[in-house]
Amino acid sequence: MIFRVRADRLVSLVLLLRQRGRLSATTLARELEVSTRTVLRDIEALSAAGVPVYAERGRRGGFALLPGFRTELTGLNHDEALALLVAGSRRGAQAFGLGSALASAMLKVVDALPESYRDTAASAVERLLIDPETDLLARRQVAEEVPDAIVAEVRRAVFAGHRLRIRYAAVGRAPQWRTVDPIGLVTVRDQGYLLATRAGEDRTYRLSRVLAAEELAEPAQRPDRVDLDRAWQDRSTRFRTGGDQVTVLARVNPARREDLVGTALAVLAEETEADGWLRLEVTFQDSRHAEWALWQLAMNAEALAPQWLRTSLRDRAAAIATRYGAAPS
């Protein structure tokens, strides 16, 4: 472990000198969070290994690399290389006008990869979609913890193009084993999803509900290429418009907003009224779901529409008032 830590530090030292030019031992020590004595020892180790680092004396002196020195990223393993490419796929680069620069930078990363990883890196990245514009649940989410072993098994099956056996706990159902053909992985607001097919039908599985996973040897039945963005949008549309879902217009105390939004399937519209309360248009799985969600907020929320929901909540409140208005039996 000690040798791995030092190796990582030496790589960081070289990258600092490449990116920022001449740096003093004090500056390097601060950046690497070590002592100046450790920096001097690391410089000696780099020189002994053939890295052309040299010292410049004087008041503005420091350490620098010979011009034109190029490091090879041969120390990257497959997952580290993949992490770099995935990190560079975020939509924020487009928003800040860095799309072309990002594409160029990613080409350089791929070019610097060990040859054994270069051929598989591009095909692996197209199996991951980070923060698409369309959110399946359209609500604020908290990060979910998924065991590393499960995620790793799912990821291996996705990249290898193998079928996957998962033990999945769907909402309101006992966990069951099922065999799927994985298509890709999507992460939305720190929640992960597996896009797959099962018996030829599209399926979307929430990774936090996968209790166990096993990569199978048989090849997955799926197309060679995939447009995850389009696939996600199509599934999101079907999810929002399918089943017995109901749309509710409600006023909510802002202090209880998360309690309502956290149970809704989607937030379609939101605005702040003059009194500070929020007017939300949200969807629920069905009428019972909608009634339960509004009822639990008591006086901190008011259903404005549909009328049947207002009537149902009124009747329930009247029944409670009647029960508690009489003396205990």
Side-chain angles (χ1 to χ4, degrees):
M1 179 65 180
I2 294 176
F3 294 110
R4 173 62 185 274
V5 170
R6 191 185 186 198
D8 290 343
R9 190 175 68 243
L10 291 175
V11 171
S12 297
L13 194 158
V14 172
L15 292 177
L16 279 171
L17 294 177
R18 272 189 53 78
Q19 295 169 10
R20 295 168 57 179
R22 183 175 60 248
L23 294 172
S24 67
T26 302
T27 300
L28 288 169
R30 182 174 64 251
E31 293 287 341
L32 298 172
E33 298 182 347
V34 296
S35 66
T36 53
R37 184 183 295 273
T38 297
V39 168
L40 295 176
R41 284 201 299 264
D42 288 348
I43 292 292
E44 290 180 4
L46 289 173
S47 296
V51 177
V53 57
Y54 65 96
E56 290 188 357
R57 307 295 179 185
R59 192 169 139 194
R60 297 186 179 180
F63 297 99
L65 294 169
L66 287 178
F69 175 71
R70 180 177 184 270
T71 55
E72 299 289 342
L73 300 181
T74 52
L76 286 176
N77 61 37
H78 180 270
D79 284 350
E80 289 170 339
L82 186 61
L84 278 177
L85 294 171
V86 169
S89 68
R90 300 182 67 88
R91 293 184 179 274
Q94 297 293 340
F96 291 109
L98 296 173
S100 59
L102 176 62
S104 175
M106 288 303 101
L107 286 175
K108 293 177 181 178
V109 170
V110 172
D111 181 66
L113 290 176
E115 186 174 355
S116 58
Y117 298 148
R118 197 175 303 156
D119 294 336
T120 60
S123 61
V125 169
E126 76 173 12
R127 298 290 173 180
L128 299 174
L129 176 63
I130 310 297
D131 289 338
E133 293 178 346
T134 305
D135 183 347
L136 183 63
L137 299 180
R139 67 189 189 194
R140 295 177 186 172
Q141 301 294 332
V142 296
E144 295 181 331
E145 295 295 329
V146 183
D148 291 342
I150 292 178
V151 176
E153 194 74 7
V154 172
R155 190 174 64 240
R156 280 194 293 268
V158 170
F159 295 157
H162 290 166
R163 303 193 83 186
L164 181 68
R165 188 166 177 260
I166 60 174
R167 187 166 184 262
Y168 191 73
V171 177
R173 300 179 185 178
Q176 292 183 339
W177 283 98
R178 56 198 71 186
T179 300
V180 302
D181 295 297
I183 293 175
L185 294 170
V186 179
T187 178
V188 182
R189 298 181 183 179
D190 296 323
Q191 290 190 358
Y193 297 88
L194 167 66
L195 272 58
T197 60
R198 185 182 178 203
E201 299 292 330
D202 288 346
R203 293 289 185 268
T204 303
Y205 301 102
R206 195 154 157 177
L207 289 180
S208 61
R209 294 175 184 156
V210 177
L211 305 181
E214 177 186 357
E215 178 190 2
L216 304 180
E218 57 188 300
Q221 300 300 311
R222 69 182 192 184
D224 293 334
R225 301 300 298 269
V226 62
D227 184 343
L228 275 188
D229 208 345
R230 173 60 62 85
W232 180 258
Q233 290 181 30
D234 291 345
R235 295 184 187 210
S236 297
T237 299
R238 290 198 298 270
F239 181 83
R240 294 174 189 276
T241 59
D244 300 322
Q245 295 176 15
V246 297
T247 300
V248 172
L249 182 63
R251 296 181 73 248
V252 184
N253 184 330
R256 301 298 300 276
R257 178 192 184 278
E258 295 305 318
D259 294 326
L260 179 66
V261 171
T263 61
L265 290 179
V267 178
L268 305 180
E270 179 176 352
E271 64 182 44
T272 303
E273 298 188 329
D275 61 359
W277 275 44
L278 303 175
R279 179 180 289 252
L280 295 170
E281 185 177 4
V282 293
T283 59
F284 294 98
Q285 190 66 50
D286 51 33
S287 58
R288 292 178 60 186
H289 183 194
E291 183 176 345
W292 171 84
L294 271 296
W295 176 259
Q296 71 167 341
L297 295 181
M299 297 300 293
N300 288 296
E302 177 188 1
L304 303 177
Q307 183 57 45
W308 63 260
L309 180 58
R310 289 180 59 87
T311 301
S312 179
L313 291 170
R314 181 201 64 195
D315 293 346
R316 176 183 283 202
I320 292 292
T322 299
R323 171 169 294 181
Y324 286 99
S329 56

